[in-house]
């Protein structure tokens, strides 16, 4: 409780400072060690932060919890296919906004430069991708996948970064 009053992870300790909550940690690390990830300015931070906040408030966690729980922690015979399909469609509904944004920028969430927004969106995209990969191993009940071509190219760009 001394480091994080919520008594949860994640919590980062940097010297005498404890920073908790994943997006707060990403913002802190970028501000302190890599301001270019905030696009090098306060205005850049203002362009990145709404995407980070949207990710939290659009309830991606509900989709990723169900997809990960069902594909990684539940035996195929015990899976709730309706729950998995709802989670998939919830992910697609949310990721369509990212698809549209990448279509506008042609590269990353806020434009041509990689930013903190791409870090948190990339994490969700990776969770989604890993869950689909697991589901394909035992494809019962798997819906027809929705084409998200901008998102596919974006995910490859993220994976190619050093």
């Amino acid at each position: 409780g001394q480091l994080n009053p919520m008594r949860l992870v994640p919590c980062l300790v940097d010297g005498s400072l404890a920073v908790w909550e994943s997006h707060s940690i990403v913002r802190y690390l970028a501000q302190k060690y890599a301001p270019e990830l905030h696009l090098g300015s306060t205005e850049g931070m203002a362009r990145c932060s709404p995407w980070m906040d949207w990710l939290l408030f659009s309830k991606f966690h509900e989709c990723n919890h169900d997809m990960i729980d069902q594909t990684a922690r539940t035996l195929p015979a015990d899976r709730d296919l309706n729950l998995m399909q709802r989670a998939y469609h919830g992910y697609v509904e949310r990721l369509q906004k990212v698809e549209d944004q990448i279509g506008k920028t042609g590269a990353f969430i806020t434009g041509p430069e990689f930013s903190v927004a791409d870090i948190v969106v990339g994490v969700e995209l990776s969770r989604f991708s890993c869950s689909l990969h697991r589901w394909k191993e035992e494809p019962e009940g798997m819906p027809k996948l929705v084409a998200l071509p901008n998102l596919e190219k974006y995910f490859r760009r993220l994976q190619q970064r050093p």
Side-chain angles (χ1 to χ4, degrees):
Q2 291 178 340
L3 298 178
N4 180 341
M6 302 303 143
R7 297 178 183 262
L8 298 170
V9 294
C11 183
L12 169 78
V13 177
D14 188 18
S16 62
L17 177 66
V19 183
W20 46 282
E21 290 300 332
S22 57
H23 290 202
S24 295
I25 291 168
V26 169
R27 286 182 179 106
Y28 169 76
L29 290 172
Q31 188 66 31
K32 184 166 182 179
Y33 298 104
E36 66 276 8
L37 292 176
H38 279 140
L39 308 176
S41 68
T42 304
E43 293 80 10
M45 182 172 38
R47 288 178 39 220
C48 297
S49 284
W51 282 99
M52 297 175 75
D53 295 340
W54 167 77
L55 201 76
L56 293 172
F57 295 109
S58 63
K59 300 184 179 179
F60 266 90
H61 64 278
E62 291 175 358
C63 302
N64 76 37
H65 171 78
D66 292 338
M67 285 283 284
I68 291 169
D69 187 57
Q70 291 295 309
T71 59
R73 299 181 186 122
T74 305
L75 294 172
D78 297 330
R79 289 179 179 167
D80 181 339
L81 298 178
N82 288 327
L83 179 62
M84 292 170 71
Q85 291 169 355
R86 282 193 310 273
Y88 169 78
H89 290 294
Y91 251 123
V92 169
E93 178 184 320
R94 289 157 179 84
L95 288 173
Q96 184 63 55
K97 298 199 184 325
V98 179
E99 167 78 8
D100 296 344
Q101 179 67 10
I102 298 302
K104 291 175 191 170
T105 67
F108 296 104
I109 293 292
T110 59
E113 303 294 324
F114 179 80
S115 74
V116 291
D118 298 295
I119 293 170
V120 297
V121 170
V123 167
E124 283 304 328
L125 195 49
S126 181
R127 289 174 176 157
F128 180 63
S129 177
C130 288
S131 293
L132 288 180
H133 180 75
R134 287 291 301 243
W135 198 349
K136 286 177 186 176
E137 292 173 359
E138 297 282 340
E140 183 183 348
M142 190 169 193
K144 183 176 188 286
L145 299 183
V146 172
L148 299 166
N150 295 322
L151 210 55
E152 287 180 34
K153 292 176 200 165
Y154 170 68
F155 193 44
R156 274 190 246 114
R157 272 193 296 282
L158 293 177
Q159 292 171 321
Q160 292 169 352
R161 288 188 44 77

